[in-house]
Amino acid sequence: MPPSDDAPSLETLAARVAETPPADRREPALELAKRRLETVLPSQSTALTDATIDRLCPCLDDPDPAVRSAVLVVLRNAMYFQLQGAEMALSEHPPEALADRLLERIDDEHWTVRQAVLLPRYLQPILAATFENDADVDVDTDALSVSASWLADRLFQRLTDPVPVIRKRTSALFFELEDASTVVLAHPDPDRAVTTLVETLTDPADTVFNRGDACEPRNAAIETLLELTGHRPELVTPHFETMLDLLTGDNGYLRFRIVELSIDLLEQGVIGYEAIADDVIDALEQGCYPLRTAETMQLLVSVALTRPDVIDDVASTLRTELAANDSRRLYAQHTAAADALGRLVRESEQPFGAVEETVAERTGDRSLFDAGIDPLVPLAEDHPAFVADALTNGYEALREEDMYDGRFDTELFVSVADRNSAAAEPVLAALSDEASVHNVRRFLASVSETYPTLVADIVPDLLETVETTPPIPRTVCQIIATTAGTGVRIPDELVAAVTESVGPIGNTPAYNKNRRYWAVRALIALSERNHDAVPDRIEPFVEAYRDGQLDDAVDPLELPAAREAGWEPVADESER
Amino acid sequence: MSHRSYVAAELAETADPDPVVDALAGDDTRLSGADRYDDVLTFSGMEGPASALDRLLTTVSDALERAVLVINHDGGRGEMIGRYYENGADGFGAVEELRTDFRWEPGAYFDYFAAKYGIHAAV
């Protein structure tokens, strides 16, 4: 529990540490650290005077690592207050003096002490001032007795510390810098620093924490290498081959970032395609080449153009990607694949299939990209079977996923159907088996608003999956309403169930008003087709609809005409 | 109220880590992990409050020698609680607790327990 008011003050506890002989110092030092940690905020009663800070500083050299750690926990906090310029802080010492003392312990022989020095919150301002001249940080680097070069060297040592959490904290500090390559450039031996970074790419230390607290060393390393490539590529190139080995490693993010680094080196003219071709092709053949962005796909094409033996593989990879069912990716991803494939076809001498040729024609300019058009849409005109396969595969996701909001949505389907209904029809036929799945019904209902005739073809299959116990689901009523005009025959039993679904029905949950609306719309549509089973009392709704009084924001049972015709209102407010 | 929690669990000699990982970072919890160093498994996630983590640790206490839990609670200024556990003569239980009545650096508590008990940190 936080200390009570009558507990000894921080000053008293600190004095006790300084006065206790080294052999017995551990207990008071830990008590002081605990008090510090439980009352972190600065206030008159908890800040340390300069005199006390000066008395504690020698304990940073105490033979007992527990004392060194405990006192460090207290003094790093005092430095933090000095840096904050906390008004309540008693100390008038410049923060640089304490920073010097704390940094002396950065390579302490005991891990607990090193760990305490490396807590990012406290060390970060010093690094920002040292390596980035951050004007927001109130640290005068001229007043520090350690140089940027010394500090860079120590940070790289901690990046290879045997204790993982120290490596993670050091990595978080690298991450916190705007551009961590400044640490490499400050290092007394930048090449050794780069070697360390490249070795860190295979550091197994894993973390799921926020980057501010601790982060994965390999991620800090690749970020730093990317930044360094931008400024001083010649420092990276000697290690480039080692990095390329990771293109077939099991970390997808690293593979992607290494390809990005390669692209940067290529664009700067520091390397040629021959330097990466073998590794890129190995990754492609092992199915782990990162097709994440337009740039990584274009690199693949550039490599293929220098290596005709892999053109077929690259073309088929890109063709698969442009049609891929991957809900995590945006259409732009697939447009990028089409664009890359088009360029490969245009710039290569070799013959391709009909789909590839069309892709090449349609991507000659950047019109697909600029208009945000999914590549499957223009392909529907000439290659309906190819597009139908891709869509059938894509809409499979509707069957399995609770919430689907990926590439394969109503808009894509309708756009394809607009171009060529032959590319769309087989997709719905394939979905009819799964018409009992809510997401599938919702999709069909949505499509039926634009293309009732397409959906009408599968309504008989759909109806076989519908239980005729009211309430009939909203999506089913909606499909009946929108497709009724095509003359689909709806069984009398189902019409009766839809009529009952106008409700109110027992204590069915309140998803309600909209379901009642679509039940009424279905009945209106069926009555327009003179369906025998539609009761006469639907008449007031037909009139209301005709007069524009009924829309999906209105609860049909609340219409005055409905009351007069004998429809019962919804009694319970919660039913609405 | 949401929570951000961090656990360092030190395995008992010859204990199998798999059941500990399953209990702390399985489908029923909002913790992820484990990264391992020496005999210490580390976890973090949105699991909480402290009492819930207490119970989780207790379910695998036979496999644990020691543990540290640090949790930040949201809400208002928040609150940070840290506990050090040992499997002692009276069984497994919290030996020492730290508490700050606002959100703060979880690493700071781990540093204290590292200094006092020599147990590795999760963050």
Side-chain angles (χ1 to χ4, degrees):
Chain A
M1 292 297 291
S4 60
D5 291 341
D6 55 359
S9 73
L10 203 67
E11 281 283 324
T12 309
L13 291 172
R16 200 177 287 167
V17 175
E19 286 155 9
T20 306
D24 302 318
R25 203 174 273 157
R26 179 186 286 213
E27 197 192 314
L30 288 166
E31 196 186 348
L32 171 68
K34 184 171 183 171
R35 173 65 53 80
R36 174 72 292 168
L37 288 168
E38 292 196 317
T39 54
V40 183
L41 286 184
S43 72
Q44 209 70 28
S45 62
T46 58
L48 293 174
T49 60
D50 285 336
T52 307
I53 291 172
D54 291 342
R55 291 182 76 190
L56 283 175
C57 277
C59 299
L60 289 171
D61 300 318
D62 195 280
D64 182 351
V67 172
R68 298 201 296 279
S69 299
V71 171
L72 215 151
V73 161
V74 176
L75 291 180
R76 73 184 182 193
N77 190 262
M79 181 190 73
Y80 182 74
F81 291 159
Q82 291 169 353
L83 283 171
Q84 301 284 307
E87 286 180 13
M88 304 279 276
L90 298 173
S91 170
E92 291 176 359
H93 274 359
E96 294 80 8
L98 262 185
D100 273 345
R101 298 307 317 272
L102 299 176
L103 287 172
E104 280 170 11
R105 300 261 62 94
I106 198 170
D107 40 16
D108 194 285
E109 62 180 24
H110 202 275
W111 64 270
T112 61
V113 186
R114 299 197 300 275
Q115 177 178 306
V117 175
L118 268 300
L119 192 73
R121 162 93 68 165
Y122 298 106
L123 199 51
Q124 199 276 335
I126 306 212
L127 301 197
T130 304
F131 297 111
E132 314 207 295
N133 302 315
D134 188 334
D136 293 339
V137 181
D138 210 5
V139 176
D140 177 7
T141 47
D142 292 338
L144 287 174
S145 60
V146 304
S147 64
S149 157
W150 182 93
L151 188 51
D153 184 32
R154 295 312 188 280
L155 284 175
F156 271 95
Q157 288 179 29
R158 298 287 67 78
L159 201 56
T160 56
D161 197 285
V163 177
V165 82
I166 295 177
R167 302 202 298 278
K168 294 175 191 179
R169 287 183 178 189
T170 308
S171 303
L173 283 161
F174 272 77
F175 245 133
E176 289 289 311
L177 289 170
E178 201 69 32
D179 178 352
S181 71
T182 52
V183 187
V184 180
L185 298 176
H187 195 279
D189 181 354
D191 184 64
R192 191 150 52 83
V194 177
T195 304
T196 301
L197 289 173
V198 172
E199 286 167 2
T200 301
L201 294 176
T202 51
D203 185 333
D206 240 325
T207 171
V208 287
F209 308 122
N210 294 329
R211 66 196 315 210
D213 297 330
C215 72
E216 289 169 20
R218 54 179 175 266
N219 288 350
I222 190 67
E223 289 307 322
T224 308
L225 286 164
L226 274 154
E227 282 153 356
L228 189 64
T229 303
H231 306 304
R232 298 281 300 275
E234 77 281 5
L235 287 174
V236 179
T237 43
H239 305 270
F240 186 52
E241 269 192 52
T242 314
M243 296 172 68
L244 285 175
D245 290 344
L246 297 173
L247 272 187
T248 47
D250 54 10
N251 186 310
Y253 180 71
L254 270 189
R255 295 196 301 268
F256 168 58
R257 299 297 269 164
I258 289 168
V259 170
E260 289 203 316
L261 189 147
S262 310
I263 291 169
D264 195 355
L265 289 174
L266 285 161
E267 284 177 353
Q268 294 187 56
V270 181
I271 59 166
Y273 289 109
E274 72 289 346
I276 55 165
D278 287 339
D279 295 282
V280 164
I281 291 165
D282 282 350
L284 179 74
E285 282 171 357
Q286 294 184 28
C288 62
Y289 181 82
L291 298 165
R292 286 205 190 196
T293 64
E295 290 73 22
T296 64
M297 293 190 234
Q298 291 290 348
L299 175 65
L300 191 56
V301 169
S302 299
V303 167
L305 289 169
T306 69
R307 295 282 295 265
D309 53 314
V310 298
I311 284 181
D312 284 343
D313 275 355
V314 171
S316 113
T317 301
L318 291 172
R319 179 176 142 141
T320 303
E321 181 67 13
L322 82 82
N325 164 21
D326 182 343
S327 62
R328 288 166 302 159
R329 301 199 191 169
L330 301 170
Y331 75 85
Q333 203 72 22
H334 309 289
T335 312
D339 207 44
L341 178 57
R343 186 183 139 226
L344 180 64
V345 173
R346 288 192 302 275
E347 295 184 14
S348 147
E349 306 288 317
Q350 107 183 26
F352 290 90
V355 169
E356 287 81 354
E357 293 291 350
T358 306
V359 169
E361 277 168 38
R362 298 300 176 110
T363 56
D365 53 25
R366 285 182 48 91
S367 56
L368 282 187
F369 255 125
D370 296 342
I373 295 173
D374 192 296
L376 291 172
V377 174
L379 286 175
E381 284 164 23
D382 297 331
H383 307 285
F386 172 77
V387 173
D389 280 352
L391 262 54
T392 301
N393 179 39
Y395 289 105
E396 282 272 337
L398 288 175
R399 305 173 186 202
E400 289 144 23
E401 296 182 17
D402 294 338
M403 289 290 286
Y404 181 79
D405 60 354
R407 176 189 196 186
F408 292 90
D409 57 7
T410 307
E411 190 188 334
L412 173 62
F413 184 85
V414 168
S415 304
V416 166
D418 283 345
R419 298 286 180 110
N420 188 349
S421 62
E425 276 160 15
V427 181
L428 294 186
L431 275 177
S432 65
D433 296 347
E434 300 289 331
S436 59
V437 176
H438 173 70
N439 276 340
V440 173
R441 285 180 175 173
R442 199 173 54 177
F443 170 72
L444 293 173
S446 176
V447 170
S448 72
E449 299 234 30
T450 319
Y451 280 109
T453 48
L454 281 182
V455 176
D457 290 344
I458 66 155
V459 167
D461 292 327
L462 167 71
L463 294 183
E464 280 184 24
T465 69
V466 176
E467 302 267 351
T468 50
T469 316
I472 302 300
R474 174 186 64 79
T475 48
V476 173
C477 292
Q478 194 176 354
I479 293 167
I480 293 173
T482 50
T483 60
T486 66
V488 179
R489 177 70 203 168
I490 307 296
D492 293 357
E493 192 191 3
L494 181 56
V495 178
V498 172
T499 307
E500 272 193 67
S501 303
V502 178
I505 302 169
N507 53 0
T508 51
Y511 63 86
N512 40 46
K513 184 165 85 178
N514 201 244
R515 186 247 305 152
R516 290 195 286 276
Y517 167 76
W518 280 108
V520 165
R521 282 284 310 274
L523 293 171
I524 293 170
L526 292 170
S527 83
E528 282 166 354
R529 303 286 302 179
N530 302 314
H531 197 295
D532 303 339
V534 178
D536 292 342
R537 62 196 186 110
I538 197 71
E539 201 51 37
F541 295 127
V542 176
E543 281 173 28
Y545 184 57
R546 222 175 268 149
D547 298 344
Q549 293 169 22
L550 189 63
D551 61 42
D552 60 3
V554 174
D555 187 339
L557 295 185
E558 296 296 316
L559 293 171
R563 304 264 179 105
E564 286 159 25
W567 291 91
E568 282 188 41
V570 179
D572 181 359
E573 283 287 323
S574 69
E575 230 279 19
R576 282 184 206 162
Chain B
M1 195 192 251
S2 71
H3 322 281
R4 185 83 198 174
S5 39
Y6 309 82
V7 175
E10 187 177 279
L11 294 168
E13 215 169 317
T14 72
D16 179 0
D18 292 348
V20 177
V21 176
D22 287 348
L24 291 176
D27 294 340
D28 298 335
T29 78
R30 284 172 292 172
L31 288 179
S32 311
D35 201 14
R36 180 168 180 175
Y37 177 60
D38 284 351
D39 288 331
V40 177
L41 301 169
T42 55
F43 304 87
S44 93
M46 307 290 280
E47 190 60 60
S51 55
L53 281 155
D54 219 63
R55 281 193 294 277
L56 269 178
L57 285 170
T58 305
T59 59
V60 288
S61 60
D62 287 351
L64 300 183
E65 188 70 43
R66 308 186 294 168
V68 172
L69 153 67
V70 179
I71 182 163
N72 260 312
H73 289 152
D74 273 346
R77 296 196 302 170
E79 172 188 48
M80 187 161 84
I81 299 173
R83 287 186 188 148
Y84 169 74
Y85 297 78
E86 265 180 15
N87 225 338
D90 301 331
F92 185 81
V95 172
E96 184 170 4
E97 181 177 277
L98 292 178
R99 198 180 273 260
T100 310
D101 57 0
F102 45 86
R103 279 180 298 284
W104 194 238
E105 292 292 313
Y109 276 7
F110 278 108
D111 288 345
Y112 173 82
F113 293 125
K116 186 160 181 179
Y117 303 105
I119 185 166
H120 282 291
V123 66

